Amino acid sequence: MDEMSQTGSGRLLRLKRRDLLRGTAALGAAALAPSLPAAAQTGGAYAHLPARGEFVIRNAYVLTMDEKLGDLPRGDIHVRNGAIIAVGKSLKAPGAKTIDAKTMIALPGLIDTHWHMWGTAASNTAGDDPKMGYFSFAKAVGAIFKPEDNARGVRLAIAEAIDSGLTTVHNWSHNIVSPAYADAELAAHTAMGHRALFGYGYFGIRMENQPVNVADLPRVNEKWIKPSEGLLTLGVCSRGPESNNMDMVRMEWEAARKMGLRVSTHVGTSLAKVKERQAVKKLNEAGLLGPDVILVHDTNMVDDDTEILGRTKTEVSVSPFTELRTGFGVTPILKFLAAKVPIGLSVDTTVLAGNADMFAIMKAIQNIDDGTTPSEFGITARRVLEMATIEGARSMQMEKQIGSLTPGKRADIILVRTDALNMAPMADPVRMIVQAAQPANVDTVMVDGRILKRHGKLITIDVAKTMREAAETVARVSAQIGKS
Ligand SMILES: [Zn+2]
């Protein structure tokens, strides 16, 4: 297979080259264009961001996370117009801008599979006072957030995501008071040029039997998803069956599946109520499980829950820091692995997790696995890194586009410096990423071929303004709910 025999833009680029060589332009501009919507050719929704351009990353330690390609201790990655064109040694790439990565590890961008991004504007504000724990606080601030407050949370979250090497997120949006809130969040996503599954959720945490506004989904699809050049995907976030009637749950699932959208819901968060709630059993009996479903947490499960999830290929998103912090319990990673349940890793909420450090999340998963096995050799660092890359991509049904550095896939790539104290000395790069790395070691972040972080600095985001706006929001809402 040659370097351009893959899917998508690779195939079209080969067409273009051949036609240029033969001197025949008979296919016309439309046929010759790379596989991007028309809007992309004229700037489109992302005209305000850096052009995709052509780059060759040289001499990195490349962790492709592609089973066939493996690792390249000194490799190059050629990127053109948002696609990975080739991965190999000493690649010929005339005209491409060179990115010297000889002191860096190159790997696919990290993938989050469940994050309530709106709440990032209220990080570190809840938790010590039993009267105002996370859920009470989120309910109180959610009720007085305006659309712009949601957007500020999303912008702050995406800025931290990019800074931390997270190139794809699942924005589990559960403060959609009205369509204007969805618009505000999606405008924030579009402004940042980040990749996301936007999970259209409900309003009012712990309100029961209030369905998602599924009638708004086609509008959102037309207005935001279609012009997004593949960066945004739409999903549905359901309240789920634990405290809500199954008719509502079924209605939401049906609406999502009719449009081919992924569905997600929280399950198994309470040990005390798990037997009465039986969420996985209810979903299974209703025929609602499957590979298009992401269940969040399932920390507390009943009997054969994992067998059901493994058999139906239903994904689970685990967020070890918030599961521990809220007292849901210790992430049952061993049970999921034993039943071959597909696993994605997640931030969940920085109100409780404190930050969006996916390196720390990977390390926590490895440590929880080893601690509960118990064995120093419970799980390999590479298996955990798969969860944050290619398996995370599968969880989001995006594995054809992202999750590994494979020619033909979109260029979501991060470069992690090895010349920092916490990374020294250079040894096994996978262990360095999972056990040692921190967001501060992320030198370069590329999303869809656009460089958004370079030399350790965010280059497309006004960081000071983003932080200031979030501070204004948290000051205002804290005053309104009488919390200082
Ligand atoms: Zn959640």
Side-chain angles (χ1 to χ4, degrees), residues 114-116 134 172 174 266 296-297 319 322 328 348-349:
H114 151 238
W115 186 352
H116 309 292
Y134 167 67
W172 218 105
H174 63 355
H266 294 83
V296 177
H297 305 307
S319 57
T322 62
F328 291 169
D348 187 355
T349 170

